Amino acid sequence: AAGYYLIDDTSDEEGLNLLQVTKGLTIRIKTSKVPTMFKKVWNGSAWVDATDYEIGDTVPFRLVATLPKGYEGMTEYGLTFHDKMGAGLTFNNDITVKYFTPAELDSQGNPVGEGTPLATKDWRVDSGAAVEDADCTFEVVIANAKGTDSSIKGLEDGSVIVVEYTATLNEDAAIGNPGNLNTAWMSDTKGNKTPEDPVGVFTFELGITKTNADGSVELSGAVFTLEKKNAAGEWELIEEFTAEQV
């Protein structure tokens, strides 16, 4: 019937809306809330946007997606993580997927603790010809997070889905700048797509010359050792070589 209607969308917290109706119509609520996603790389002590590794090292990565406002009231919702690696990184195909409730996030929205693994039936990994975006190295697909037997259908709005995996920094890695980029983004079945979020992995060459005390003469046959500090804070030998090998 014609008149003024006060509409309260209970799946959102944007407030009330006043609508004037002059004839019959269908109302479709469009939420302004969309999911968010960011990508990080592990530097040995924290998740960061860029770090350095040696060729041959295993590099951990993390994708963190926050479910949109209104998720609790949805009856169907799917999401896909898209990941694109540069030539200097080799995907190790060791993906894990888990979730964190809002109570398991810090004040910046970062996951705290171990989280809860998603049931393997709730997600899959596509690669090669199976990916939706041809530029992607792989995609993690959650076809319907709200499915009848989904392990995450009852999550609260603002809960977080975390994808973790590793890649190996290989012989094709770029030395120095611009580094080896790894980019990710997320799309959902509501037509939303997050901005691409890149992280950088750097590796460097090191030239060493040993001389006499005043630096005027290079010392032939000088012996060098190359060491690095491991995750335990201890120095470990990488290689021993002479000046002729440098």
Side-chain angles (χ1 to χ4, degrees):
Y4 290 89
Y5 292 82
L6 191 64
I7 300 174
D8 182 11
D9 178 11
T10 58
S11 69
D12 203 302
E13 297 177 3
E14 294 297 325
L16 302 176
N17 300 277
L18 185 64
L19 179 70
Q20 182 181 9
V21 176
T22 59
K23 59 181 180 179
L25 79 166
T26 299
I27 299 173
R28 294 181 175 86
I29 301 297
K30 182 177 180 181
T31 178
S32 62
K33 299 301 181 181
V34 299
T36 61
M37 194 223 73
F38 62 85
K39 184 180 182 74
K40 297 293 181 182
V41 59
W42 183 250
N43 71 355
S45 59
W47 294 103
V48 296
D49 293 321
T51 189
D52 59 274
Y53 278 89
E54 294 179 14
I55 291 176
D57 280 349
T58 298
V59 185
F61 294 96
R62 166 182 269 192
L63 314 179
V64 180
T66 302
L67 295 174
K69 184 181 292 186
Y71 176 81
E72 292 179 45
M74 295 178 185
T75 57
E76 185 174 328
Y77 185 71
L79 59 154
T80 300
F81 295 85
H82 308 263
D83 198 287
K84 179 172 62 176
M85 295 185 188
L89 292 163
T90 302
F91 176 45
N92 290 330
N93 198 24
D94 56 354
I95 289 175
T96 62
V97 185
K98 50 193 172 182
Y99 68 84
F100 295 76
T101 66
E104 298 172 299
L105 308 177
D106 66 17
S107 58
Q108 282 74 48
N110 297 306
V112 177
E114 296 300 318
T116 304
L118 267 69
T120 54
K121 64 180 176 58
D122 292 335
W123 58 278
R124 71 176 192 269
V125 179
D126 290 343
S127 59
V131 297
E132 176 184 315
D133 190 311
D135 290 334
C136 288
T137 305
F138 68 86
E139 294 171 340
V140 177
V141 180
I142 302 175
N144 186 10
K146 301 294 289 188
T148 303
D149 60 348
S150 170
S151 61
I152 55 172
K153 65 179 180 180
L155 286 182
E156 304 169 63
D157 292 0
S159 295
V160 163
I161 306 294
V162 175
V163 174
E164 292 182 344
Y165 67 91
T166 69
T168 300
L169 192 64
N170 63 44
E171 296 293 336
D172 294 325
I175 307 299
N177 287 323
N180 301 275
L181 293 181
N182 187 345
T183 303
W185 66 97
M186 193 189 82
S187 61
D188 68 15
T189 51
K190 301 295 184 183
N192 299 306
K193 178 182 176 182
T194 67
E196 295 186 14
D197 189 15
V199 296
V201 180
F202 294 85
T203 192
F204 304 95
E205 288 182 329
L206 181 64
I208 303 173
T209 301
K210 190 169 185 176
T211 68
N212 61 358
D214 63 12
S216 61
V217 178
E218 294 185 8
L219 301 179
S220 177
V223 177
F224 299 86
T225 59
L226 180 64
E227 300 178 325
K228 78 170 182 179
K229 187 176 288 188
N230 59 28
E234 301 170 341
W235 289 98
E236 58 183 35
L237 178 66
I238 302 302
E239 188 176 354
E240 183 176 298
F241 48 85
T242 63
E244 287 76 16
Q245 295 175 280
V246 177

